[in-house]
């Protein structure tokens, strides 16, 4: 099984808009999907300047951009991807 | 021409146990136009508020006299001849040590009543004979005058008698820690940390002296000031993407080629440098309290987020007692351990920062940098170069 890559943006906008949730998300995803998911934080995903996406905070799950990323939203997408495999 | 020396000067103090005021006073001033630095350490008779007033007045007067008079001996002689004597204890109201030095390493020192300073070079204490001037008016009052030439990596350590007499009467130090104990301690510390800053060394000395005291309670005011002559330590901070993105490469290379420590503040800036220099960003997992975590990049000493971290760092610089070991605290550590700081400030705007949903505290980069530079220059006497790109 290939691991799912999750990247969490820790740029200024995402950090502010996400409150302290990003750190929690990193810890939770690492713990919950241990072995199935590769979690990385990013200095900036450079997405906030792009109007194509609706808003910070951003997370990417494989190539999929998750705007306004909440813990629930991200875990749902991760589970969907795990089930698809 | 040989590069001039930077003088890293700082001091640390402890009050006598139970007192509310410091009985020793330290004051220093740089005169950049004259390439001159004058520093004074004065020990006031007794302790508490009275000693504090006496030492503060003496230190300020010595500084002002030395400043106005090119001849340090003449200036200090006037002070020595005018310092009053306590009617009860028949001793001077205050003692003092003063140094007048410049970036070529020329130093003139005058001591009146304080313990003799230490001059440390390559871990050894150098001895130098003073010219002694005896007071015409007061018995047993002398000034020791020195004229020495400092070299790069030399240190001068001044202290009040609270340091050399610490532990007096205790079983381990019946005669106190004494000069010999202080020398041993300083040599030991310099062996372990040859590049220790004056801020740290003065604190270590005072804390060690305090440990020597019975119950670790200071029986006298304990003060130490350190002057560390060295080649300037340089730091560069790159924050914000350049306005003209076609110059990204040029600026990234300029940053990489800098001769000194390097810090990047900002996610976009980090990505830019990583891309242009082909150096991967790693880490990002080092927790940093309430701030975004720290990343790592080869050849860069610190990689942090931008605005939030810098805003917090300004707060820490304003209130050093609030410093936490987070990203901003690490940035402040780099600042305090550097003498010359270059800022490369990219002024390209990130539209997302103008989202009305973002908190008002999220300031424009230029404003944060402006506040940071002001405090680094005025409060911390750092030499700053700033380039908006």
């Amino acid at each position: 099984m290939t691991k799912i890559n999750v990247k969490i943006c820790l740029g200024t906008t995402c950090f502010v808009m996400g409150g302290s949730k990003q750190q929690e998300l990193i810890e939770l995803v690492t713990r919950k999907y241990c072995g199935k998911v590769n979690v990385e934080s990013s200095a900036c995903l450079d997405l906030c300047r792009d109007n194509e996406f609706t808003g910070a905070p951003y997370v990417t799950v494989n190539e999929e951009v998750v705007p306004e990323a909440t813990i629930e939203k991200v875990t749902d997408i991760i589970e969907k991807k795990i089930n698809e495999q | 021409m040989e590069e001039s020396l930077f003088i890293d000067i700082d001091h640390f103090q402890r009050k006598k146990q139970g007192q509310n005021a410091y009985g020793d006073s330290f004051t220093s001033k740089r005169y950049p136009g004259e390439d001159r630095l004058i520093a004074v350490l004065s020990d006031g008779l007794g302790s508490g508020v009275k000693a504090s007033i006496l030492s503060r007045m003496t230190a300020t007067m010595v500084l002002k006299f030395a400043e106005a008079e090119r001849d340090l001996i003449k200036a200090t002689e006037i002070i020595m001849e005018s310092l009053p004597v306590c009617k009860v204890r028949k001793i001077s109201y205050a003692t003092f040590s003063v140094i007048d030095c410049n970036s070529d390493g020329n130093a003139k020192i005058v001591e009146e009543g304080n313990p003799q300073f230490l001059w440390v070079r390559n871990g050894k204490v150098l001895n130098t004979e003073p010219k002694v001037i005896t007071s015409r008016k007061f018995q047993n009052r002398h000034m020791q005058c020195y004229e020495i030439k400092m070299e790069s990596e030399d240190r001068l350590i001044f202290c009040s008698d609270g340091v050399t007499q610490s532990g007096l009467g205790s079983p381990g130090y019946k005669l106190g820690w004494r000069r010999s104990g202080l020398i041993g301690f300083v040599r030991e510390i310099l062996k372990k940390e040859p590049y220790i800053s004056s801020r740290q060394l003065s604190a270590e000395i005072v804390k060690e002296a305090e440990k020597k005291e019975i119950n670790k309670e200071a029986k006298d005011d304990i003060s130490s000031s350190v002057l560390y002559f060295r080649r300037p330590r340089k730091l560069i901070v790159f924050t914000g993407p350049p306005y003209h993105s076609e110059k990204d490469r040029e600026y990234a290379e300029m940053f990489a080629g800098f001769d000194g420590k390097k810090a990047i503040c900002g996610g976009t800036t980090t990505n830019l440098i990583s891309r242009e220099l082909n150096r991967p960003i790693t880490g990002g997992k080092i927790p940093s309290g309430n701030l975004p975590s720290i990343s790592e990049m080869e050849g860069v000493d610190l990689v942090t987020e931008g605005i939030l971290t810098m805003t917090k760092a300004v707060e820490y610089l304003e209130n050093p007692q609030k410093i936490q070991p987070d990203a901003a605290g690490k940035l402040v550590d780099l600042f305090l351990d550097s003498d010359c700081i270059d800022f490369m400030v990219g002024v390209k705007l990130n539209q997302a920062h103008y989202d009305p949903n973002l908190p008002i505290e999220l300031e424009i980069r230029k404003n944060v940098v402006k506040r940071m530079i002001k405090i680094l220059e005025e409060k911390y006497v750092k030499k700053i170069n700033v380039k908006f790109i």
Side-chain angles (χ1 to χ4, degrees):
Chain A
M1 197 175 81
T2 44
K3 279 191 178 181
I4 293 166
N5 288 311
V6 177
K7 277 192 187 169
I8 297 164
C9 181
L10 291 182
T12 310
T13 319
C14 289
F15 194 81
V16 173
M17 297 302 274
S20 56
K21 291 284 186 285
Q22 275 97 330
Q23 202 61 42
E24 216 176 293
L25 190 61
I26 295 173
E27 284 157 19
L28 181 125
V29 172
T30 312
R31 204 172 52 236
K32 195 167 172 187
Y33 303 106
C34 166
K36 296 177 187 163
V37 172
N38 223 348
V39 189
E40 260 180 58
S41 60
S42 165
C44 184
L45 289 172
D46 281 337
L47 292 168
C48 59
R49 70 196 58 224
D50 206 330
N51 290 328
E52 189 191 329
F53 305 104
T54 44
Y58 292 101
V59 170
T60 59
V61 180
N62 285 346
E63 298 308 313
E64 185 178 342
V65 175
V66 187
E68 292 172 352
T70 57
I71 293 181
E72 293 75 28
K73 215 166 166 180
V74 174
T75 49
D76 281 355
I77 293 171
I78 293 174
E79 279 181 22
K80 204 177 91 199
K81 301 244 183 229
I82 292 174
N83 291 334
E84 278 170 7
Q85 283 186 339
Chain B
M1 201 179 85
E2 213 172 86
E3 191 182 16
S4 59
L5 299 170
F6 178 83
I7 308 165
D8 166 25
I9 178 168
D10 215 328
H11 76 291
F12 195 84
Q13 291 185 290
R14 279 274 191 262
K15 296 187 279 264
K16 181 180 173 178
Q17 179 79 15
Q19 293 292 357
N20 292 322
Y22 292 94
D24 297 340
S25 293
F26 172 81
T27 185
S28 70
K29 197 170 169 188
R30 287 181 201 261
Y31 306 84
E34 296 176 57
D35 177 26
R36 193 176 181 203
L37 182 148
I38 305 175
V40 190
L41 177 67
S42 174
D43 180 347
L45 177 67
S47 58
V49 174
K50 176 187 157 192
S52 179
I53 295 169
L54 296 172
S55 63
R56 176 55 54 192
M57 275 172 56
T58 309
T60 314
M61 275 169 57
V62 172
L63 185 86
K64 289 286 168 198
F65 268 58
E67 181 186 311
E69 185 72 64
R70 288 294 332 178
D71 185 351
L72 184 70
I73 293 176
K74 208 168 144 193
T76 44
E77 212 176 347
I78 299 169
I79 304 267
M80 174 174 76
E81 297 296 6
S82 36
L83 269 177
V85 171
C86 173
K87 273 186 190 159
V88 185
R89 296 164 73 173
K90 308 276 182 245
I91 47 175
S92 290
Y93 265 130
T95 60
F96 65 85
S97 306
V98 52
I99 174 160
D100 186 344
C101 54
N102 66 16
S103 62
D104 290 338
N106 296 311
K108 288 178 194 161
I109 297 164
V110 176
E111 293 173 331
E112 204 269 281
N114 274 348
Q116 193 195 348
F117 68 94
L118 303 187
W119 177 13
V120 191
R121 177 178 294 167
N122 295 326
K124 290 195 181 77
V125 173
L126 304 184
N127 284 317
T128 175
E129 280 307 309
K131 178 179 156 197
V132 179
I133 297 177
T134 305
S135 167
R136 291 184 301 270
K137 274 168 71 181
F138 300 96
Q139 258 188 339
N140 301 324
R141 206 183 268 188
H142 315 281
M143 289 190 339
Q144 274 83 32
C145 311
Y146 305 85
E147 225 176 305
I148 57 177
K149 176 85 175 166
M150 304 294 287
E151 289 180 5
S152 178
E153 295 303 316
D154 279 9
R155 283 183 178 82
L156 292 174
I157 299 163
F158 293 87
C159 60
S160 64
D161 60 1
V163 171
T164 46
Q165 292 178 5
S166 60
L168 199 69
S170 68
Y173 298 92
K174 282 194 168 60
L175 299 170
W177 196 22
R178 310 178 81 184
R179 182 177 161 86
S180 53
L182 172 65
I183 291 175
F185 177 73
V186 168
R187 290 184 61 175
E188 207 50 46
I189 238 180
L190 291 178
K191 209 193 280 174
K192 274 187 264 171
E193 291 185 65
Y195 303 110
I196 189 169
S197 67
S198 295
R199 175 170 67 118
Q200 286 168 304
L201 183 57
S202 55
E204 294 286 342
I205 290 170
V206 171
K207 286 176 189 165
E208 189 64 22
E210 202 178 20
K211 274 194 220 158
K212 303 280 177 272
E213 297 277 31
I214 302 166
N215 300 330
K216 294 184 182 152
E217 291 177 352
K219 304 285 176 301
D220 191 2
D221 295 292
I222 304 178
S223 308
S224 167
S225 69
V226 176
L227 285 90
Y228 177 16
F229 291 69
R230 60 172 190 233
R231 301 274 168 237
R233 289 179 184 166
K234 295 176 188 168
L235 166 71
I236 190 165
V237 180
F238 196 150
T239 180
Y243 187 73
H244 297 289
S245 49
E246 64 272 20
K247 287 198 164 177
D248 284 359
R249 166 71 53 91
E250 188 186 318
Y251 289 127
E253 281 172 357
M254 200 188 276
F255 175 77
F258 183 77
D259 171 29
K261 290 204 169 178
K262 302 179 187 78
I264 306 172
C265 301
T268 313
T269 322
T270 308
N271 289 343
L272 177 159
I273 294 175
S274 163
R275 184 189 70 224
E276 296 299 335
L277 301 178
N278 201 14
R279 292 184 193 170
I281 306 159
T282 52
K285 292 192 178 71
I286 307 160
S288 182
N290 293 327
L291 292 170
S293 49
I294 296 163
S295 307
E296 283 168 345
M297 193 191 290
E298 189 203 315
V300 182
D301 299 274
L302 185 67
V303 182
T304 72
E305 176 275 345
I307 303 290
L308 301 171
T309 308
M310 290 197 296
T311 307
K312 194 71 178 173
V314 173
E315 249 177 69
Y316 288 162
L317 289 169
E318 283 163 356
N319 295 299
Q321 67 276 15
K322 286 191 184 161
I323 296 177
Q324 298 293 318
D326 54 17
K330 292 205 162 59
L331 182 61
V332 169
D333 280 345
L334 272 183
F335 284 151
L336 299 188
D337 285 336
S338 305
D339 310 314
C340 304
I341 305 165
D342 284 17
F343 283 91
M344 284 173 87
V345 186
V347 292
K348 193 182 213 171
L349 296 176
N350 183 349
Q351 282 301 330
H353 287 185
Y354 295 88
D355 182 334
N357 291 322
L358 287 176
I360 195 159
E361 287 76 23
L362 206 65
E363 280 200 73
I364 302 173
R365 188 182 310 275
K366 270 202 239 174
N367 289 353
V368 181
V369 172
K370 213 167 92 184
R371 278 170 57 207
M372 192 174 250
I373 289 172
K374 188 170 160 39
I375 190 163
L376 284 170
E377 273 182 333
E378 291 177 5
K379 184 171 173 189
Y380 295 93
V381 212
K382 303 294 178 191
K383 200 172 160 207
I384 309 286
N385 282 310
V386 60
K387 190 172 179 175
F388 291 101
I389 54 176

